[in-house]
Amino acid sequence: MKKRKLIFLDIDGTFTVPLEGPTPLAAEAVRRARENGHKVFLCTGRNIPLISQDILDVGFDGVVASAGSHIEVEGEVILDSLLPEEEVQECIGILHRYGIYCRLEDPHGMYMDREMEELVRRTVPNSRNSELIRMKKELETGIGIQPYARYARKGAYKVCFICMDLQDIEKTKPYLEDRFNYVIHPYAPDAVSFNGELIRKGMDKGEGMGRVCAYYGAEMTDTVAFGDSMNDHQMFTHAGTAVAMGNACEELKKIADMVCESVKEDGIYHEMRRMGLI
């Protein structure tokens, strides 16, 4: 057997179509890889409560959740790091000052400004913007999202945002870019809104992969990462092998080692076969 690999899979737009269950081939790829001695992890921007049971039932060796702020390996929580509430409120205040609306994720759920909900509902997402597609489906089905008033104000893993002018985002950077990476998701030339995430520097998917490697005493060169959106950027720059989905944004494809079929075409399964992982 080839040397054991640590395989990291984004969820939305990679392992599953946003808010849909895993296909039989996607689930088979994970099971067969693990049977062959490889370790397989979810590596997602979702927090733990938003990872559905049909995904978890496939069986994984662990999860890097909340874009790297919560990590579980072999049933053990090895990291759980919330942004202090004082800093959360600072971020919200700065974003709101420039007409940017917010969504927060904590250990219990996801909380959204009313204005953000309204803007998400009337936005037609770019086909490669899996984050916005998932948010729209969550609002349509009533799954996951709660009003901001229910947020407990005890710290959050990350702050997501949406606005109607890219320049408004630029205006916030002098206050926040020393501590956060700005992730802007794909948008169409005629887009009426722009959505993204503030990811803490040193607390992203790539750093999460590094912590999992340290747990096993493995090298980053032994990692394989699959992703589709710009919140997978740090994952790709850290990975030994980075695989972009066929439906991935062009910016991610440019830094990938290879591009596989789309999520709808079971790209994970086919690329794992080509790599000899299954």
Side-chain angles (χ1 to χ4, degrees), residues 53-105:
Q53 194 59 45
D54 57 351
I55 292 174
L56 295 174
D57 285 345
V58 171
F60 294 88
D61 296 287
V63 57
V64 177
S66 299
S69 294
H70 180 93
I71 304 173
E72 298 180 11
V73 182
E74 308 286 353
E76 176 187 354
V77 176
I78 67 169
L79 177 73
D80 187 68
S81 178
L82 290 166
L83 190 66
E85 185 58 24
E86 181 180 352
E87 201 164 3
V88 172
Q89 293 302 319
E90 178 191 4
C91 290
I92 293 174
I94 292 168
L95 293 170
H96 281 178
R97 186 186 312 166
Y98 293 100
I100 303 170
Y101 309 122
C102 306
R103 187 191 82 204
L104 304 176
E105 297 177 14

Side-chain angles (χ1 to χ4, degrees), residues 227-261:
D228 75 300
S229 68
M230 287 306 289
N231 64 6
D232 299 316
H233 185 276
Q234 286 85 6
M235 184 166 70
F236 273 35
T237 57
H238 283 69
T241 303
V243 184
M245 307 301 293
N247 52 280
C249 61
E250 293 304 316
E251 296 89 340
L252 201 68
K253 288 180 177 179
K254 288 177 182 178
I255 65 170
D257 295 300
M258 58 196 71
V259 178
C260 67
E261 293 85 348

